[in-house]
Amino acid sequence: MKQKSKLCVFFLVFVFSSLTSLLAQGRLQDYERAAALRERFESQAINVPDRAVWIGKTPRFWYRKTVKGGHEFILVDVEKGTKTPAFDHEKLASALNKETGEKFTAVTLPFRSINFVDEEKFLEFEFRDSFWRCDLATYEVKKAGPARSLLRDGWQDVGGPAAQAASAESKTSPDKKWEAFIRNYNVWLRSLESKEEFPLSWDGNEGNYYTFQSILWSPDSKKLLAIRLRPGLHRKIQYVDSSPEDQLQPKYFTLGYTKPGDPLDLQQPVLFHVEERKQINIDNALFPNPYELSNFAWRKDSRAFTFEYNQRGHQVYRVIEVDGTTGQARALINEECATFFCYSSKKFRYDLDDGREIIWMSERDGWNHLYLYDGLSATVKNQITKGEWVVRSVERVDEERRQVWFLGSGMYPGKDPYFLHLYRVNLDGSGLECFTEADANHTITLSPDLKYYVDLYSRVDMAPVMQLRRVEDKKVIMELEKADISGLIKAGWRAPESFVAKGRDGKTDIWGIIIRPTNFDPKKKYPVIEYIYAGPHSSFVPKSFFAWNQMMSLAELGFIVVQIDGMGTSNRSKAFHDVCWKNLKDAGFPDRILWHKAVAAKYPYYDISRVGIYGTSAGGQNAMAGLLFHPEFYKVGFAAAGCHDNRMDKIWWNEQWMGWPIGPEYEASSNTVNAYRLKGKLMLLVPELDTNVDPATTFQVVNALIKAGKDFELVVIPGANHGSGGAFGERKRNDFFVRHLLGVNPPDWNKLEKKLPEPRPSFMPRSPEEIWDE
């Protein structure tokens, strides 16, 4: 009897092991399907256009669109009413292949953007970190230098230029009589007629020096502005490139990187009168503690110069005017906020009639709007836009007609408050008019003469349409593109679902999207994974059409994947945005969790007992914070390149939201300080050469987890810059969720001979959300 019992137990263990093995093998099919999804979907989305770009002041514009097998560039001439290929794609591909040894075709050219120059005789583009030029008469292609988009060493250093005892160059006055230059850290002048040289300043030295870059002549050549700079701490991060491709031994480099709390350079503008050889020091009472002084400019009549003062901590922002004769400073515009002035994404200023009027953007009434200032009296003449909606960007100011063209959102109750629409309004606030009628997200390009506009609109569940319209009557004068997604639908594509639920206050709508796998079965239960990026500088849930998104490939493994914009993100009311103030750990989680629960209440297959979360950069910080501060809801997290302690990250982003001086709120939001709270399953990923977020912040959180005796996983990607670790990082993330949310062992990649297909370049235009995500 005992022998039979043992055999029975053995048989059950064997069956269970076999079933587990079968499930694991079944998961490989899911991985293969997920890996092929991008090419499968994007190849079936035809005539999906990118944003139109007008060529200088001509009546012509170009855009790129998807075609079978790749993409094509289109040129439209409005006056002629023609739409043709922008250039000979085959000739350019052949010429580029000859120079590079590649095998590009007419539809697989390796660039997204072009630039017509020299009266449209030449075409410029970027490829492989280089800037290229094509002669459109001969189709000769030549490399013209390094790509303009390449980052330079020290890009996170907010300080000014280093001390320069003498400048190699000089700046000539508008009347061509004088040259200004730096000698012995001071400002000097040279007469171009007599060659006489003399100093204008005497107070410059190695520790408090004048900068050549700041020298600015007045239009009448009688006055000169220069900045005297006292340097602060110019922090350097040390990097070790452990695995360089061109040698065995590691390489080392440093990067200028200013962090919250660091002492900053102190800029002091100084006025000089040329004929009197007189220096006038400007009282800094209106700009005592600058984070930055910027946008220095003389009035055209030389009566004064202006600059913008961003106070450390970003609660005070001023436009300051300095009298060119007396050096007396006054504030033309003064913004003082209880939380923060969002200078990084909500600042707009436009001077009219040489500064006698100023258009200014502000959230002072609780919503982002435009105001018209009297530049002489420094008072508000009138509010140009108003209401419980927001101005998102100013597209054009028509000085002649005294009108402003802008993109706005949130004007229509019951509609998605993030959809962009085009509006025009008179400077006195009258005549507000909408130029986009479709209930969708609109990408607009205005013609240089403001007679036409290209309207590209779509939703996540609606294919793109591109039209050329006439401003005068809003009539469509050319149907440019209507995307064909019939093949995409046949390939199994499911449109994401836009979903809205109430936030923590029971009143505010919280918007997000739901992505389901292609083999979705409503009778099954699905674990949920949230893709999070709660950076306060924008909103991030996609609003425009996409054939493929990385969330779709993750969902294909057997999940429902969602993305949500909670409170603390931008593009809603000021109160909505202010939730992030000195509280980045909030990340909108109370709203997100309620949103999840609302989805689960509607859809029984939405299993909120198994919720994962992942993100990169600020999203990496958010993903880990979900596990630390809301362990009752989020069970599994993947955090890539996270800024886990805001004191360790770049100054401009973190002091904007967390404030200055450094206070206890930084520790309260720190994943490192709160690492002891970890209860769920956590995987951390760090790119070795991350120049955006200091890699040390991940290692510090690892150290804290070890000290707290916590269990977690760490992935280090040698040689990688900021991101989620490429294909390997995504596979590690996917395996982690499969193992801990599905309860299934992922494929044993070390035993498999068959490898998953490598990701291929995308044919699809990038959305603003994708660019922010980078």
Side-chain angles (χ1 to χ4, degrees), residues 33-47:
R33 193 173 62 254
L37 201 64
R38 181 176 192 169
E39 185 175 356
R40 172 181 158 193
F41 280 175
E42 289 190 346
S43 63
Q44 296 299 323
I46 307 300
N47 296 331

PDB file of all heavy atoms in Angstrom, residues 33-47:
ATOM      1  N   ARG A  33       6.015  35.634 -30.751  1.00  0.00           N
ATOM      2  CA  ARG A  33       4.954  36.481 -31.301  1.00  0.00           C
ATOM      3  C   ARG A  33       5.156  37.943 -30.901  1.00  0.00           C
ATOM      4  O   ARG A  33       4.987  38.857 -31.702  1.00  0.00           O
ATOM      5  CB  ARG A  33       3.593  35.972 -30.811  1.00  0.00           C
ATOM      6  CG  ARG A  33       2.405  36.567 -31.563  1.00  0.00           C
ATOM      7  CD  ARG A  33       1.098  35.915 -31.170  1.00  0.00           C
ATOM      8  NE  ARG A  33       0.779  36.112 -29.767  1.00  0.00           N
ATOM      9  CZ  ARG A  33       0.880  35.171 -28.829  1.00  0.00           C
ATOM     10  NH1 ARG A  33       1.298  33.949 -29.160  1.00  0.00           N
ATOM     11  NH2 ARG A  33       0.568  35.427 -27.568  1.00  0.00           N
ATOM     12  N   ALA A  34       5.553  38.164 -29.637  1.00  0.00           N
ATOM     13  CA  ALA A  34       5.791  39.525 -29.152  1.00  0.00           C
ATOM     14  C   ALA A  34       6.964  40.172 -29.879  1.00  0.00           C
ATOM     15  O   ALA A  34       6.914  41.352 -30.237  1.00  0.00           O
ATOM     16  CB  ALA A  34       6.053  39.502 -27.647  1.00  0.00           C
ATOM     17  N   ALA A  35       8.016  39.387 -30.114  1.00  0.00           N
ATOM     18  CA  ALA A  35       9.203  39.929 -30.775  1.00  0.00           C
ATOM     19  C   ALA A  35       8.924  40.307 -32.222  1.00  0.00           C
ATOM     20  O   ALA A  35       9.544  41.229 -32.766  1.00  0.00           O
ATOM     21  CB  ALA A  35      10.342  38.919 -30.711  1.00  0.00           C
ATOM     22  N   ALA A  36       7.992  39.606 -32.854  1.00  0.00           N
ATOM     23  CA  ALA A  36       7.678  39.869 -34.260  1.00  0.00           C
ATOM     24  C   ALA A  36       6.587  40.923 -34.432  1.00  0.00           C
ATOM     25  O   ALA A  36       6.280  41.322 -35.558  1.00  0.00           O
ATOM     26  CB  ALA A  36       7.248  38.573 -34.934  1.00  0.00           C
ATOM     27  N   LEU A  37       6.024  41.383 -33.319  1.00  0.00           N
ATOM     28  CA  LEU A  37       4.840  42.233 -33.397  1.00  0.00           C
ATOM     29  C   LEU A  37       5.120  43.580 -34.054  1.00  0.00           C
ATOM     30  O   LEU A  37       4.315  44.064 -34.861  1.00  0.00           O
ATOM     31  CB  LEU A  37       4.277  42.451 -31.988  1.00  0.00           C
ATOM     32  CG  LEU A  37       2.803  42.875 -31.917  1.00  0.00           C
ATOM     33  CD1 LEU A  37       1.916  41.767 -32.466  1.00  0.00           C
ATOM     34  CD2 LEU A  37       2.415  43.191 -30.481  1.00  0.00           C
ATOM     35  N   ARG A  38       6.266  44.161 -33.750  1.00  0.00           N
ATOM     36  CA  ARG A  38       6.560  45.494 -34.289  1.00  0.00           C
ATOM     37  C   ARG A  38       6.599  45.478 -35.815  1.00  0.00           C
ATOM     38  O   ARG A  38       5.937  46.280 -36.476  1.00  0.00           O
ATOM     39  CB  ARG A  38       7.895  46.003 -33.737  1.00  0.00           C
ATOM     40  CG  ARG A  38       8.261  47.385 -34.240  1.00  0.00           C
ATOM     41  CD  ARG A  38       9.534  47.889 -33.585  1.00  0.00           C
ATOM     42  NE  ARG A  38       9.737  49.301 -33.841  1.00  0.00           N
ATOM     43  CZ  ARG A  38      10.629  50.057 -33.232  1.00  0.00           C
ATOM     44  NH1 ARG A  38      11.423  49.530 -32.321  1.00  0.00           N
ATOM     45  NH2 ARG A  38      10.758  51.337 -33.525  1.00  0.00           N
ATOM     46  N   GLU A  39       7.378  44.570 -36.369  1.00  0.00           N
ATOM     47  CA  GLU A  39       7.469  44.502 -37.832  1.00  0.00           C
ATOM     48  C   GLU A  39       6.135  44.089 -38.441  1.00  0.00           C
ATOM     49  O   GLU A  39       5.721  44.619 -39.478  1.00  0.00           O
ATOM     50  CB  GLU A  39       8.564  43.516 -38.240  1.00  0.00           C
ATOM     51  CG  GLU A  39       8.791  43.478 -39.739  1.00  0.00           C
ATOM     52  CD  GLU A  39       9.953  42.599 -40.135  1.00  0.00           C
ATOM     53  OE1 GLU A  39      10.627  42.073 -39.239  1.00  0.00           O
ATOM     54  OE2 GLU A  39      10.174  42.437 -41.348  1.00  0.00           O
ATOM     55  N   ARG A  40       5.456  43.183 -37.775  1.00  0.00           N
ATOM     56  CA  ARG A  40       4.155  42.707 -38.262  1.00  0.00           C
ATOM     57  C   ARG A  40       3.140  43.841 -38.349  1.00  0.00           C
ATOM     58  O   ARG A  40       2.377  43.941 -39.326  1.00  0.00           O
ATOM     59  CB  ARG A  40       3.657  41.606 -37.319  1.00  0.00           C
ATOM     60  CG  ARG A  40       2.241  41.117 -37.549  1.00  0.00           C
ATOM     61  CD  ARG A  40       1.934  40.051 -36.514  1.00  0.00           C
ATOM     62  NE  ARG A  40       0.511  39.859 -36.287  1.00  0.00           N
ATOM     63  CZ  ARG A  40       0.004  39.167 -35.266  1.00  0.00           C
ATOM     64  NH1 ARG A  40       0.817  38.615 -34.388  1.00  0.00           N
ATOM     65  NH2 ARG A  40      -1.299  39.038 -35.129  1.00  0.00           N
ATOM     66  N   PHE A  41       3.136  44.714 -37.351  1.00  0.00           N
ATOM     67  CA  PHE A  41       2.164  45.798 -37.326  1.00  0.00           C
ATOM     68  C   PHE A  41       2.594  46.998 -38.168  1.00  0.00           C
ATOM     69  O   PHE A  41       1.823  47.527 -38.971  1.00  0.00           O
ATOM     70  CB  PHE A  41       1.918  46.243 -35.885  1.00  0.00           C
ATOM     71  CG  PHE A  41       0.965  45.339 -35.137  1.00  0.00           C
ATOM     72  CD1 PHE A  41       0.726  45.543 -33.782  1.00  0.00           C
ATOM     73  CD2 PHE A  41       0.318  44.292 -35.759  1.00  0.00           C
ATOM     74  CE1 PHE A  41      -0.154  44.730 -33.076  1.00  0.00           C
ATOM     75  CE2 PHE A  41      -0.559  43.453 -35.071  1.00  0.00           C
ATOM     76  CZ  PHE A  41      -0.792  43.683 -33.715  1.00  0.00           C
ATOM     77  N   GLU A  42       3.828  47.451 -37.974  1.00  0.00           N
ATOM     78  CA  GLU A  42       4.244  48.678 -38.650  1.00  0.00           C
ATOM     79  C   GLU A  42       4.276  48.514 -40.162  1.00  0.00           C
ATOM     80  O   GLU A  42       4.036  49.465 -40.901  1.00  0.00           O
ATOM     81  CB  GLU A  42       5.610  49.131 -38.125  1.00  0.00           C
ATOM     82  CG  GLU A  42       5.535  49.663 -36.701  1.00  0.00           C
ATOM     83  CD  GLU A  42       6.826  50.333 -36.270  1.00  0.00           C
ATOM     84  OE1 GLU A  42       7.854  50.160 -36.965  1.00  0.00           O
ATOM     85  OE2 GLU A  42       6.813  51.033 -35.237  1.00  0.00           O
ATOM     86  N   SER A  43       4.570  47.311 -40.629  1.00  0.00           N
ATOM     87  CA  SER A  43       4.605  47.092 -42.077  1.00  0.00           C
ATOM     88  C   SER A  43       3.222  47.161 -42.704  1.00  0.00           C
ATOM     89  O   SER A  43       3.087  47.281 -43.925  1.00  0.00           O
ATOM     90  CB  SER A  43       5.243  45.725 -42.376  1.00  0.00           C
ATOM     91  OG  SER A  43       4.455  44.673 -41.840  1.00  0.00           O
ATOM     92  N   GLN A  44       2.174  47.078 -41.862  1.00  0.00           N
ATOM     93  CA  GLN A  44       0.802  47.079 -42.374  1.00  0.00           C
ATOM     94  C   GLN A  44       0.095  48.422 -42.208  1.00  0.00           C
ATOM     95  O   GLN A  44      -1.073  48.549 -42.552  1.00  0.00           O
ATOM     96  CB  GLN A  44      -0.008  45.987 -41.666  1.00  0.00           C
ATOM     97  CG  GLN A  44       0.490  44.568 -41.928  1.00  0.00           C
ATOM     98  CD  GLN A  44       0.425  44.205 -43.400  1.00  0.00           C
ATOM     99  OE1 GLN A  44      -0.504  44.593 -44.113  1.00  0.00           O
ATOM    100  NE2 GLN A  44       1.428  43.469 -43.864  1.00  0.00           N
ATOM    101  N   ALA A  45       0.793  49.397 -41.653  1.00  0.00           N
ATOM    102  CA  ALA A  45       0.199  50.734 -41.511  1.00  0.00           C
ATOM    103  C   ALA A  45       0.737  51.599 -42.642  1.00  0.00           C
ATOM    104  O   ALA A  45       1.892  52.013 -42.629  1.00  0.00           O
ATOM    105  CB  ALA A  45       0.553  51.327 -40.152  1.00  0.00           C
ATOM    106  N   ILE A  46      -0.079  51.873 -43.632  1.00  0.00           N
ATOM    107  CA  ILE A  46       0.351  52.540 -44.856  1.00  0.00           C
ATOM    108  C   ILE A  46      -0.188  53.973 -44.908  1.00  0.00           C
ATOM    109  O   ILE A  46      -1.311  54.247 -44.471  1.00  0.00           O
ATOM    110  CB  ILE A  46      -0.127  51.754 -46.102  1.00  0.00           C
ATOM    111  CG1 ILE A  46       0.307  50.281 -45.987  1.00  0.00           C
ATOM    112  CG2 ILE A  46       0.412  52.385 -47.372  1.00  0.00           C
ATOM    113  CD1 ILE A  46       1.799  50.073 -45.893  1.00  0.00           C
ATOM    114  N   ASN A  47       0.635  54.859 -45.461  1.00  0.00           N
ATOM    115  CA  ASN A  47       0.264  56.275 -45.606  1.00  0.00           C
ATOM    116  C   ASN A  47       0.050  56.973 -44.259  1.00  0.00           C
ATOM    117  O   ASN A  47      -0.808  57.853 -44.126  1.00  0.00           O
ATOM    118  CB  ASN A  47      -0.981  56.439 -46.481  1.00  0.00           C
ATOM    119  CG  ASN A  47      -0.741  55.980 -47.909  1.00  0.00           C
ATOM    120  OD1 ASN A  47       0.388  56.038 -48.409  1.00  0.00           O
ATOM    121  ND2 ASN A  47      -1.782  55.492 -48.557  1.00  0.00           N
TER     122      ASN A  47
END
